[in-house]
Amino acid sequence: LELIFNSDGLFISELLNCPVELFSIFYSSLPPMKPSDKSNSKRLSKSDRKQIKLSDELKQKLVGWMLGDFRCVKENKGGNARLVFSQGTVHQDYFSHVFEFFKDYCGSKGPLLSINKPDKRTGRIYSSQSFRTLSLPCFNEFNELFYSGGKKIVPLNIDSLLTPLGLCYWLCDDGSFNKASQLVVICTDSVSLE
């Protein structure tokens, strides 16, 4: 996927062919049902978990986030999947923006702050923040789409899954603008097509 930024301010994509205005749709509606509606109880019942759904808009965003920095993990074979997201504290504003979409899926646990050991390459100490959602059936489809044999992949039908909104959030996670070449670059080193 190659995106070009031209002087008119439009992203041009052979896959999506959408103007920049469509990429700037960041702020939107909340999910239709929120797990925190039962925040006073210790656990959601199986029936309650099945009723929790993701809006179509949040699903579109999740496709982009799954191509980026989100993980969707199952902690046991028969269980439901949960989402995990981490960012360095240098990206606090973006992290807070993303957390707003998922805070109701996280139960009573909020974001965690981690101070890591010194980086072996630079010697610098980096801190990060992360959140984990509850394990819910509504996340299972993302685990099935984006993982094969425990390894994160790009689904073969990504062209039908990725929307301008999803691309927008993928760019927020893994995109950068190369001033010299005037290209938007998306880093895809951590996923496999196999």
Side-chain angles (χ1 to χ4, degrees):
L1 178 65
E2 182 178 19
L3 299 172
I4 302 168
F5 188 83
N6 67 20
S7 59
D8 298 328
L10 299 179
F11 286 102
I12 301 167
S13 165
E14 288 189 18
L15 175 62
L16 298 173
N17 195 22
C18 295
V20 72
E21 293 86 283
L22 292 178
F23 292 112
S24 62
I25 304 169
F26 281 97
Y27 305 101
S28 58
S29 63
L30 293 173
M33 181 181 170
K34 305 170 194 167
S36 65
D37 294 343
K38 293 246 182 188
S39 61
N40 293 335
S41 66
K42 288 192 176 208
R43 292 181 61 90
L44 292 172
S45 70
K46 192 173 186 177
S47 168
D48 289 338
R49 288 175 186 268
K50 283 184 179 179
Q51 290 180 33
I52 297 169
K53 306 292 181 201
L54 300 173
S55 68
D56 287 339
E57 188 172 304
L58 190 55
K59 286 181 179 182
Q60 289 177 46
K61 292 173 185 177
L62 258 173
V63 169
W65 282 318
M66 289 301 302
L67 290 167
D69 296 332
F70 265 65
R71 291 183 296 129
C72 187
V73 297
K74 283 191 175 186
E75 293 179 359
N76 56 52
K77 256 189 177 170
N80 292 313
R82 75 170 65 229
L83 300 173
V84 180
F85 181 64
S86 313
Q87 287 282 300
T89 53
V90 69
H91 302 295
Q92 174 64 45
D93 291 340
Y94 177 62
F95 179 85
S96 297
H97 171 75
V98 174
F99 181 69
E100 281 299 309
F101 293 107
F102 293 97
K103 66 182 177 184
D104 295 320
Y105 294 95
C106 293
S108 62
K109 294 182 180 178
L112 302 171
L113 180 64
S114 302
I115 310 260
N116 301 329
K117 294 179 181 177
D119 185 285
K120 291 178 182 177
R121 297 167 296 169
T122 65
R124 294 184 61 191
I125 297 174
Y126 298 96
S127 56
S128 62
Q129 52 209 341
S130 64
F131 68 81
R132 294 166 42 126
T133 65
L134 299 168
S135 295
L136 298 168
C138 61
F139 299 132
N140 290 341
E141 70 177 291
F142 291 92
N143 180 272
E144 292 163 12
L145 279 170
F146 287 93
Y147 289 86
S148 177
K151 187 176 182 182
K152 194 171 184 183
I153 61 165
V154 174
L156 293 177
N157 63 336
I158 194 62
D159 60 333
S160 65
L161 297 171
L162 186 61
T163 64
L165 187 56
L167 179 59
C168 176
Y169 280 98
W170 186 20
L171 285 168
C172 288
D173 272 13
D174 289 340
S176 64
F177 181 68
N178 184 313
K179 290 180 185 178
S181 65
Q182 296 288 295
L183 293 175
V184 172
V185 177
I186 301 174
C187 298
T188 58
D189 306 16
S190 65
V191 292
S192 170
L193 285 169
E194 296 173 4

